[in-house]
């Protein structure tokens, strides 16, 4: 087990609020047992950026997807998403993606249909939120908290998840502005505007994520200036080390972005699984 994934535990009253300050759990250590279920609390509060398999797999998936109008993406989709989801840490807890035979049939078909429509409409299908509703939502139905997943697996009883993660939609205005500005930035500005575009987009995206009845609400607090400075430092370090730092520049930026995901502990209520 990697050091950053080590978890700390403590016994607690099952009626106490689970999120009674992550920092307290990190200091005292322990797990909360609920219905004979061990709830793991990870020392790392958030890991949303910098997750997934190797960049090479993403590249291969992207190339074949473009060649086949999005059809080939369906082949790579579930292995990639499973890795991404299960590497995530949200407010100190991990997630699981449940895959069964129905997943490989239904999600595979939906992936092909939605990608073809999105390509034919020049990306409007995504911008208007239809991919979120008809495609990403189908994946969200299979995402659970890690401990919730283990309990359902033990009982062999999987219910539809109410988590809204991949299908979180910030609205047509935010998506449209982000889409247009990204095109302008990449075509005319060599991507220089991307830090400000990211800050704008994630500011509205994270509050739309929902995690069942846990009351968990996320916010992204990094500004465009903050992200640009972090990118610039990474480039500078790469130059000073004659390119050696470039191999970890992405992790350097991702860790910064993860530290700027926040949540209001006072709004949380205990989830009932």
């Amino acid at each position: 087990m990697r050091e950053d994934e080590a978890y700390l535990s403590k016994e607690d009253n099952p009626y106490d609020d689970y999120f009674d300050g992550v920092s307290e759990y990190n200091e005292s250590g322990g797990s909360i047992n609920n219905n004979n279920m061990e709830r793991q609390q990870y020392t790392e509060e958030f890991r949303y950026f910098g997750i997934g398999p190797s960049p090479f797999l993403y590249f291969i998936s992207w190339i074949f997807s473009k060649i086949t109008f999005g059809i080939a993406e369906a082949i790579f989709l579930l292995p990639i998403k499973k890795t991404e989801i299960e590497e995530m840490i949200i407010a100190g807890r991990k997630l699981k993606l449940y895959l069964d035979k129905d997943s490989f049939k239904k999600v595979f078909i939906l992936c092909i249909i939605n990608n073809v429509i999105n390509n034919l409409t020049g990306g409007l299908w995504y911008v208007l939120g239809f991919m979120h509703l008809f495609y990403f939502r189908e994946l969200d139905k299979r995402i659970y908290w890690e401990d919730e997943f283990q309990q359902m697996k033990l009982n062999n009883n999987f219910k539809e998840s109410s988590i809204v993660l991949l299908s979180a939609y910030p609205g047509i205005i935010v998506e449209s502005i982000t889409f247009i500005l990204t095109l302008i930035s990449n075509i005319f500005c060599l991507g220089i505007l991307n830090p400000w575009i990211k800050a704008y987009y994630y500011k509205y995206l994270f509050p739309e994520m929902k995690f069942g009845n846990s009351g968990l609400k996320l916010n992204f607090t990094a500004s465009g200036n903050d992200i640009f400075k972090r990118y610039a430092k990474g480039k500078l370090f790469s130059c000073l080390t004659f390119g050696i730092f470039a191999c970890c520049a992405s992790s350097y930026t991702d860790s910064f972005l993860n530290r700027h995901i926040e949540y209001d502990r006072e709004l949380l209520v205990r989830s009932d699984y």
Side-chain angles (χ1 to χ4, degrees):
M1 181 183 296
R2 295 181 308 195
E3 182 178 353
D4 62 351
E5 291 185 354
Y7 66 89
L8 305 172
S9 58
K10 83 170 189 179
E11 295 183 0
D12 202 350
N13 188 308
Y15 295 99
D16 287 343
D17 288 340
Y18 169 65
F19 289 103
D20 191 19
V22 172
S23 59
E24 294 182 10
Y25 292 123
N26 290 342
E27 291 173 4
S28 59
S31 77
I32 300 176
N33 293 319
N34 180 24
N35 299 327
N36 299 320
M37 195 169 42
E38 184 176 326
R39 176 171 290 165
Q40 298 183 354
Q41 183 65 34
Y42 292 80
T43 57
E44 188 178 355
E45 275 199 296
F46 286 99
R47 191 196 300 150
Y48 179 86
F49 301 97
I51 57 175
S54 68
F56 178 74
L57 184 57
Y58 283 109
F59 177 73
I60 293 296
S61 174
W62 182 82
I63 289 292
F64 281 99
S65 178
K66 294 303 178 184
I67 294 174
T68 60
F69 294 96
I71 295 176
E73 183 182 327
I75 300 173
F76 300 92
L77 173 72
L78 289 177
I80 289 177
K81 288 302 177 186
K82 183 173 177 63
T83 303
E84 289 178 348
I85 294 301
E86 296 186 0
E87 285 186 2
M88 277 189 194
I89 295 179
I90 304 293
R93 296 174 70 186
K94 297 197 78 173
L95 300 164
K96 278 286 203 179
L97 178 63
Y98 172 63
L99 299 179
D100 55 7
K101 293 180 180 179
D102 182 61
S103 304
F104 289 94
K105 295 177 189 175
K106 195 169 185 178
V107 175
F108 183 87
I109 294 171
L110 286 174
C111 179
I112 293 174
I113 294 173
N114 279 271
N115 275 315
V116 170
I117 296 175
N118 193 53
N119 282 311
L120 292 175
T121 58
L124 282 178
W125 187 253
Y126 177 90
V127 171
L128 294 175
F130 291 116
M131 283 192 76
H132 303 72
L133 181 62
F134 297 113
Y135 172 31
F136 297 141
R137 180 63 199 133
E138 196 60 40
L139 286 167
D140 277 348
K141 290 177 183 179
R142 293 164 166 78
I143 299 175
Y144 305 91
W145 292 116
E146 183 181 45
D147 46 359
E148 179 186 15
F149 174 86
Q150 297 298 340
Q151 185 65 43
M152 288 181 173
K153 185 178 180 181
L154 183 66
N155 298 332
N156 194 26
N157 180 26
F158 284 90
K159 60 183 179 180
E160 184 177 299
S161 174
S162 58
I163 285 178
V164 177
L165 181 61
L166 302 178
S167 61
Y169 181 60
I172 185 173
I173 295 177
V174 174
E175 287 286 358
S176 299
I177 292 175
T178 302
F179 180 75
I180 294 169
L181 290 180
T182 301
L183 284 178
I184 294 173
S185 176
N186 292 334
I187 295 173
F188 300 107
C189 305
L190 301 178
I192 293 177
L193 299 179
N194 288 350
W196 289 272
I197 297 172
K198 284 179 180 289
Y200 168 78
Y201 182 70
Y202 289 124
K203 175 184 176 182
Y204 293 99
L205 177 66
F206 277 97
E208 297 301 321
M209 297 178 183
K210 297 179 178 61
F211 299 88
N213 61 346
S214 66
L216 179 61
K217 287 288 185 181
L218 305 183
N219 292 293
F220 185 72
T221 59
S223 68
N225 290 339
D226 294 332
I227 300 174
F228 177 78
K229 290 176 183 176
R230 190 71 170 188
Y231 275 128
K233 286 180 181 178
K235 296 295 184 183
L236 177 61
F237 293 154
S238 295
C239 292
L240 293 176
T241 58
F242 300 100
I244 296 176
F245 186 77
C247 63
C248 55
S250 178
S251 298
Y252 177 73
T253 302
D254 291 333
S255 63
F256 171 80
L257 297 176
N258 286 326
R259 289 198 300 272
H260 282 79
I261 304 173
E262 298 181 357
Y263 65 100
D264 189 346
R265 295 177 177 85
E266 295 181 1
L267 295 178
L268 293 178
V269 297
R270 186 178 177 81
S271 314
D272 292 324
Y273 293 147

